[in-house]
Amino acid sequence: MQKLVSDEEIQLIAEAVGYRDSSRTFTLRELIHFFLLAAMHQWKSFRHGADVGPLYGLPRFHYSTVSKKAKEVPYDIMKRLLALIISKCNRQTRRSLRFPKPLRVVDSTTVTVGKNRLPWAPYHGERAGVKLHVAYSPESSLPADVVETIGLRHDGPVGEQLTNAQQVLVEDRAYFKIERLDRFVEQHQLFVIRMKDNIELHQKKSLKRLSSTSSSVQADFTCQLGTKQCRSTKRHRVVIFRDANGRDIRVVTNLFHASAETIADMYQQRWTVEVFFRWVKQYLNVPTLFGTTENAVYNQLFAAFIAYVLLRWLYDQTKKQTNVSLSFISFVRRFFSGQLPLDWKSGMAAALFEYAQIYGRRMYNFG
């Protein structure tokens, strides 16, 4: 965090949202560090963090101090900080997946607690919850954009905020809507979206393709979608393929210059965001919410995403500097247990030094 983001940049973000940090005992930067450490070391509460925080370089403080700070700091600061860090890390972590355009996988994850914990975020039954709607980049293994809502908010309308005409939108059935597909064609927004099972197909016309016994594709054609009462005005391409479990998956797309197999591969990249959600929840303490206000909850959740981005960036940059193979999971576990191979420790130092040379940053606490 110290290597990538300066105090001046944090100050500019705070000023942009109208927040003035008047505290001298527990500053905004220390709150950010607290939530990053809480995510990575899976602290259980504000009280737990106050007890062990000094062991990780935080000042000594009462747990009520950080609780009050988390409540008063607008979570838009943490959200903008996440966007800043993603933009910096994205420059160096992109990899080619050999698709016509970069993919933008959109999905959401819900964090639930007892309904009395978050009365402002009703969900279902005796549960309250919040949602994080994420546009995820498989090329960089990083989130590209995040929108926060209460748990009851439907995915479809929020998905409108996560489109990008420069990328191929990959979405599940929750985002399927016939009028939306027609509009995407007019707006030149490329997409690969799974269709709902009950959608009728009108005036099918098969597309010519080379048959292959090894292909999972079952059909490739154009048609209009929906019933007479609600039918698409455009003809859309539909690809039907069989997944690893033997189920037929129907996706609709406006990509006509890619093979059906490529369309199927694009949709199956949607699972990368599911893996991302599962990883964050399992390793970054997301299900354990410390506070009960919007600011406290979203500050914690956005900080967890920041922790993931920093770890992923550090892993990708270090991997380039060493010949010793480690998976991301193994890297993270060894990183926190102090058992990284010497080659990886040297690689980390080299990667951070290279970043400083390229972007002209001072390397605080370097070495």
Side-chain angles (χ1 to χ4, degrees):
M1 181 69 178
Q2 288 178 318
K3 311 299 187 267
L4 268 70
V5 182
S6 67
D7 289 336
E8 292 76 15
E9 287 172 316
I10 293 177
Q11 181 62 31
L12 287 174
I13 291 175
E15 290 176 358
V17 302
Y19 176 75
R20 182 179 178 183
D21 189 11
S22 58
S23 175
R24 294 185 179 181
T25 57
F26 196 84
T27 65
L28 173 58
R29 179 124 202 174
E30 285 159 351
L31 177 70
I32 294 169
H33 286 167
F34 175 91
F35 275 129
L36 291 177
L37 290 165
M40 292 187 285
H41 296 287
Q42 300 193 358
W43 294 348
K44 299 175 182 178
S45 63
F46 287 131
R47 187 188 295 269
H48 180 202
D51 290 341
V52 301
L55 299 176
Y56 297 90
L58 290 174
R60 294 195 175 276
F61 56 89
H62 192 266
Y63 74 90
S64 62
T65 301
V66 65
S67 175
K68 181 181 177 182
K69 190 79 171 182
K71 185 187 299 184
E72 74 177 31
V73 171
Y75 71 81
D76 196 34
I77 291 177
M78 205 74 76
K79 185 175 181 179
R80 293 188 185 209
L81 182 60
L82 171 63
L84 173 64
I85 292 173
I86 288 173
S87 69
K88 291 189 175 192
C89 295
N90 226 358
R91 301 169 188 168
Q92 299 178 308
T93 57
R94 302 195 68 81
R95 57 185 66 83
S96 173
L97 295 180
R98 299 185 180 181
F99 291 133
K101 275 194 171 185
L103 305 186
R104 189 176 181 86
V105 182
V106 174
D107 207 347
S108 70
T109 187
T110 306
V111 179
T112 63
V113 294
K115 69 176 183 179
N116 294 329
R117 289 272 294 160
L118 306 179
W120 50 271
Y123 189 47
H124 294 296
E126 297 298 308
R127 306 297 289 172
V130 294
K131 264 187 183 180
L132 295 175
H133 307 258
V134 176
Y136 182 82
S137 168
E139 286 83 6
S140 63
S141 299
L142 297 177
D145 201 0
V146 183
V147 176
E148 71 290 344
T149 68
I150 63 171
L152 285 179
R153 185 75 183 276
H154 193 272
D155 289 347
V158 182
E160 300 288 342
Q161 303 176 47
L162 296 171
T163 59
N164 187 318
Q166 304 303 314
Q167 299 172 314
V168 180
L169 204 59
V170 180
E171 297 177 325
D172 203 3
R173 287 175 289 194
Y175 300 89
F176 177 90
K177 197 172 183 180
I178 290 175
E179 310 89 75
R180 190 170 181 245
L181 302 182
D182 285 342
R183 178 160 40 84
F184 280 167
V185 172
E186 294 172 357
Q187 296 173 344
H188 305 289
Q189 170 67 66
L190 299 177
F191 61 85
V192 177
I193 300 176
R194 186 174 179 180
M195 296 168 53
K196 294 179 180 178
D197 294 335
N198 61 351
I199 296 298
E200 293 186 16
L201 309 176
H202 182 64
Q203 293 185 343
K204 296 196 299 183
K205 183 178 180 180
S206 294
L207 295 174
K208 293 182 180 179
R209 59 185 304 271
L210 295 175
S211 59
S212 170
T213 55
S214 62
S215 174
S216 63
V217 174
Q218 306 298 303
D220 183 13
F221 53 86
T222 65
C223 66
Q224 288 179 284
L225 305 175
T227 63
K228 188 176 181 179
Q229 292 74 24
C230 180
R231 181 170 293 160
S232 64
T233 60
K234 313 286 185 183
R235 289 187 67 83
H236 297 283
R237 182 184 184 184
V238 173
V239 173
I240 303 176
F241 66 93
R242 192 156 289 168
D243 68 7
N245 297 317
R247 299 173 300 180
D248 282 350
I249 306 294
R250 303 193 306 172
V251 297
V252 57
T253 181
N254 57 347
L255 283 162
F256 286 90
H257 299 293
S259 69
E261 285 75 15
T262 297
I263 301 299
D265 289 343
M266 284 182 171
Y267 179 75
Q268 291 182 97
Q269 287 293 317
R270 197 192 70 80
W271 295 110
T272 58
V273 74
E274 299 284 358
V275 172
F276 164 70
F277 288 149
R278 188 160 57 246
W279 197 96
V280 169
K281 286 185 173 181
Q282 183 174 352
Y283 291 99
L284 295 180
N285 210 26
V286 165
T288 306
L289 298 180
F290 295 174
T292 58
T293 66
E294 284 187 85
N295 282 335
V297 168
Y298 289 131
N299 273 326
Q300 181 183 347
L301 294 179
F302 280 118
F305 275 28
I306 290 172
Y308 171 85
V309 171
L310 292 174
L311 287 169
R312 186 78 215 192
W313 178 84
L314 187 60
Y315 169 75
D316 286 335
Q317 297 311 303
T318 305
K319 186 169 62 172
K320 298 175 184 177
Q321 308 282 346
T322 178
N323 294 321
V324 180
S325 179
L326 279 182
S327 68
F328 181 48
I329 292 294
S330 180
F331 165 78
V332 172
R333 287 173 176 168
R334 294 187 182 208
F335 180 82
F336 288 117
S337 65
Q339 297 178 340
L340 274 177
L342 182 59
D343 281 358
W344 275 77
K345 292 180 180 180
S346 300
M348 275 196 294
L352 291 170
F353 184 76
E354 181 181 335
Y355 179 89
Q357 293 291 99
I358 293 173
Y359 297 104
R361 286 294 311 280
R362 290 180 59 194
M363 302 305 286
Y364 302 99
N365 301 334
F366 180 75

